[in-house]
């Protein structure tokens, strides 16, 4: 674990760490108060053997003295020496208590012996050490004398008498308290770490994102518009998709603030949105916003005679809420019926986006969402309360059912629960009116066909583009026949500059004139289209397309 992770863990579990640390400090203080400060006085003795003056005798005497020192360590603090000291000094303690204060030690491979006596008083420690040393010498002399009146085989000499101790031994209460404080802090940190590892509740948005596999947006106590905007953009995507979104609380408590703030973001962006309060626990959006009314979702699901407008409550511009109403045991079954699907469909005809707010739930919502087939699901988890196992199971079941999880909401404060949503409806806002169906389009009146005229005159009135109609020039058909009864054909009149087009005179040959007029009309229409196309091309700054088709 990194340093930042350790700091975050201590921030979450500071109560556990503090409780264990305080308990350890109190235990250390109690132990320090029971400590008795003692003083020690020590005497050093030398054990020797009575031997000859040769080197061999001296060596054998030294080896015998080392063997006796091992036994003398048990003789110096035995009951005989202790009883004699108690009788000598007239002590108020028992010989056994004095024995517990005597410590005898001997360095290895030496004939030295150290006798130490402890007592709360430094003067008493010195007096006891001197008395124990004298009684020990006397007791050894008695044991090593085999013949009455002869010199003992071993002799104990004092080479360093006991002195008055100037400082107590052992740890002081301050040292005990300091050591207890350090150990208590370590124990508190260990207890916090153990509890943090054994607790599977979600603590950070990153942890929620790892469990769901999608982005987790953190929503705090204040009305942070940026968090709601991120949540909305994650749902709609770059193209502004709309549809039906289910906000499911995967926490022990209701979180209606997520749906409310998400709806506020939709309404602020100009998208009409409706919230359906499907929190059957009664602590959803209806309770959070304090909405009142007779009819609600439960009443609409039970009775087909309840109109939609009676359960729809406008709370702001482009924002309405479908109240919960009087929920009963039958309401949970009706949520998984076609009646609820019809409600969502009717709302989609009035609003661009529909939000369904579900209360605290677990894996039981998976069949419900499978029947609804929403466009997206937003799991809302309250940090430090939602369980990892529940979120992981719900997300896995939703993936198996094919229900898309687009984004998750990590609620960091309990103020998003019911009754604490900071939302004030706009009293001056007009209610969202239902979208009225478009009026039927009246059939077009029949257009009376104009009187048949020549092609040029007809085109001048019905051409789709403003153009100037050229005069019709009939193609020559050979030399005009001459003879009686036949008049020469007259050439068509040209239009005056800036004036209207002048239609060509009708030909004597009706069939030929009709065919030539139709061809001229087609050519004029094609030219008008090309002219309009060149005009649009020039306005766009591109080179005009050159028409290479042969003209008639």
């Amino acid at each position: 674990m990194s340093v930042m992770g350790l700091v975050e863990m201590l921030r979450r579990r500071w109560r556990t760490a503090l409780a264990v640390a305080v308990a350890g400090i109190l235990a250390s203080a109690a132990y320090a108060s029971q400590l008795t400060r003692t003083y020690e006085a020590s005497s050093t003795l030398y054990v020797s053997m009575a031997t000859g003056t040769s080197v061999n005798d001296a060596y054998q005497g030294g080896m015998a003295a080392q063997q006796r020192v091992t036994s003398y360590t048990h003789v110096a603090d035995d009951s005989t020496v202790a009883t004699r000291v108690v009788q000598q000094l007239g002590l108020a303690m028992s010989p056994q208590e004095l024995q517990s204060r005597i410590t005898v030690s001997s360095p290895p491979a030496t004939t030295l012996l150290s006798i130490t006596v402890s007592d709360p008083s430094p003067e008493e420690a010195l007096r006891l050490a001197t008395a124990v040393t004298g009684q020990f010498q006397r007791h050894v002399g008695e044991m090593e004398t085999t013949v009455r009146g002869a010199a003992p085989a071993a002799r104990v000499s004092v080479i360093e008498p006991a002195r008055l101790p100037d400082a107590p031994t052992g740890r002081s209460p301050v040292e005990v308290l300091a050591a207890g404080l350090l150990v208590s802090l370590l124990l508190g940190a260990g207890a916090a770490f153990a509890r943090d590892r054994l607790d599977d509740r979600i603590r950070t948005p990153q942890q929620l994102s790892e469990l769901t596999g999608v982005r987790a947006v953190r929503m705090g106590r204040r009305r942070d518009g940026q968090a709601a905007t991120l949540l909305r953009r994650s749902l709609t995507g770059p193209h502004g998709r709309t549809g039906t979104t289910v906000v499911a609380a995967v926490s022990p408590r209701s979180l209606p603030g997520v749906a409310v703030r998400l709806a506020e973001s939709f309404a602020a962006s100009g998208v009409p949105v409706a919230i359906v309060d499907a929190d059957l626990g009664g602590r959803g959006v209806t309770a959070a916003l304090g909405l009142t009314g007779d009819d609600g979702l439960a009443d609409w699901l039970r009775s087909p005679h309840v109109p939609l407008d009676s359960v729809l409550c406008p709370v702001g511009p482009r924002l309405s809420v479908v109240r919960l109403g009087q929920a009963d045991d039958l309401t949970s079954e009706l949520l998984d019926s076609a009646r609820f699907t019809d409600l969502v469909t009717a709302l989609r005809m009035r609003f661009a986006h529909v939000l369904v707010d579900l209360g605290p739930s677990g894996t039981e919502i998976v069949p419900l969402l499978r029947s609804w087939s929403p466009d997206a699901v937003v799991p809302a988890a309250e940090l430090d309360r939602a369980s990892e196992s529940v979120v992981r199971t719900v997300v896995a079941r939703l993936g198996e059912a094919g229900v898309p999880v687009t984004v998750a909401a990590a609620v960091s404060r309990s103020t998003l629960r019911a009754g604490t949503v900071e939302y004030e409806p706009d009293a001056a806002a007009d209610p969202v009116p239902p979208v009225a169906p478009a009026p039927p389009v009246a059939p077009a009146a029949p257009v009376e066909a104009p009187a048949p005229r020549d092609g040029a005159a007809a085109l001048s009135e019905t051409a789709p583009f403003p153009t100037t109609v050229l005069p019709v020039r009939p193609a020559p058909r050979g030399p005009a026949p001459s003879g009686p009864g036949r008049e020469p054909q007259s050439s068509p009149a040209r239009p005056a500059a800036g004036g209207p087009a002048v239609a060509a005179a009708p030909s004597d040959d009706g069939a030929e004139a009709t065919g030539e007029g139709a061809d001229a009309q087609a050519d004029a229409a094609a030219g008008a289209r090309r002219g309009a196309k060149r005009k649009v091309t020039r306005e766009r700054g591109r080179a005009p397309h050159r028409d290479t088709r042969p003209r008639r």
Side-chain angles (χ1 to χ4, degrees), residues 247-256 279 357-362 365 378-381:
V247 180
V250 287
S251 296
R253 297 186 291 189
S254 301
L255 301 174
D279 189 348
D357 180 39
L358 285 178
S361 54
I365 67 172
V378 179

Side-chain angles (χ1 to χ4, degrees), residues 13-26 184 188:
R13 306 298 180 187
W14 66 271
R15 293 182 179 86
T16 302
L18 181 61
V20 175
V22 169
I25 293 174
L26 293 177
S184 300

Side-chain angles (χ1 to χ4, degrees), residues 26 34 48 91 132 146 191 242 278 294 387 393 415 431 449 452:
L26 293 177
Q34 298 297 327
S48 61
L91 301 177
V132 170
T146 56
T242 58
D294 297 333
S387 174
T393 304
T415 51

Side-chain angles (χ1 to χ4, degrees), residues 98-312:
L98 178 59
Q99 281 182 272
S100 63
R101 299 184 182 185
I102 300 174
T103 304
V104 183
S105 61
S106 174
T110 64
T111 58
L112 299 178
L113 199 65
S114 178
I115 299 177
T116 304
V117 181
S118 62
D119 193 84
S121 173
E123 292 81 6
E124 189 68 15
L126 175 61
R127 192 165 72 100
L128 291 175
T130 303
V132 170
T133 301
Q135 292 297 333
F136 173 66
Q137 287 177 310
R138 176 185 172 186
H139 188 46
V140 170
E142 293 175 355
M143 289 189 307
E144 295 294 341
T145 301
T146 56
V147 178
R148 182 181 298 273
R155 185 176 59 183
V156 178
S157 305
V158 179
I159 61 176
E160 186 177 353
R163 297 179 180 178
L164 182 67
D166 56 356
T169 60
R171 297 184 180 275
S172 64
V174 177
E175 294 177 347
V176 173
L177 286 176
L181 175 62
L182 179 61
V183 174
S184 300
L185 292 177
L186 294 177
L187 290 177
F193 180 80
R195 183 179 178 184
D196 193 72
R197 287 301 179 186
L198 295 176
D199 190 4
D200 68 338
R201 290 180 294 180
I202 300 175
R203 296 174 290 273
T204 60
Q206 292 77 12
Q207 189 177 0
L208 179 61
S209 178
E210 294 174 359
L211 291 173
T212 57
V214 296
R215 181 177 185 177
V217 179
R218 184 166 193 162
M219 306 188 72
R221 175 175 183 177
R222 298 182 179 179
R223 300 181 64 183
D224 188 4
Q226 183 178 4
T229 302
L230 291 177
L231 197 64
R232 173 177 57 82
R233 290 179 178 177
S234 300
L235 287 172
T236 58
H239 303 292
R241 296 187 304 270
T242 58
T244 304
T245 301
V246 177
V247 180
V250 287
S251 296
R253 297 186 291 189
S254 301
L255 301 174
V258 177
V260 172
R261 294 186 181 178
L262 182 58
E264 288 178 353
S265 180
F266 274 109
S269 63
V271 177
V273 61
I275 306 177
V276 180
D277 186 5
D279 189 348
L280 303 184
R283 299 188 59 83
V285 178
T286 303
L289 300 182
L291 303 179
T292 59
D294 297 333
D295 297 330
L297 172 65
D299 307 282
W300 196 90
L301 293 176
R302 286 192 299 265
S303 175
H305 303 291
V306 177
L308 181 59
D309 292 336
S310 63
V311 302
L312 195 60

Side-chain angles (χ1 to χ4, degrees), residues 21 48 63 75 82 157 183 247 309 313 320 348 420 475 484 494:
S48 61
M63 295 299 296
V75 175
S157 305
V183 174
V247 180
D309 292 336
C313 178
S320 298
R348 284 300 309 276
T420 55
R494 295 182 179 273

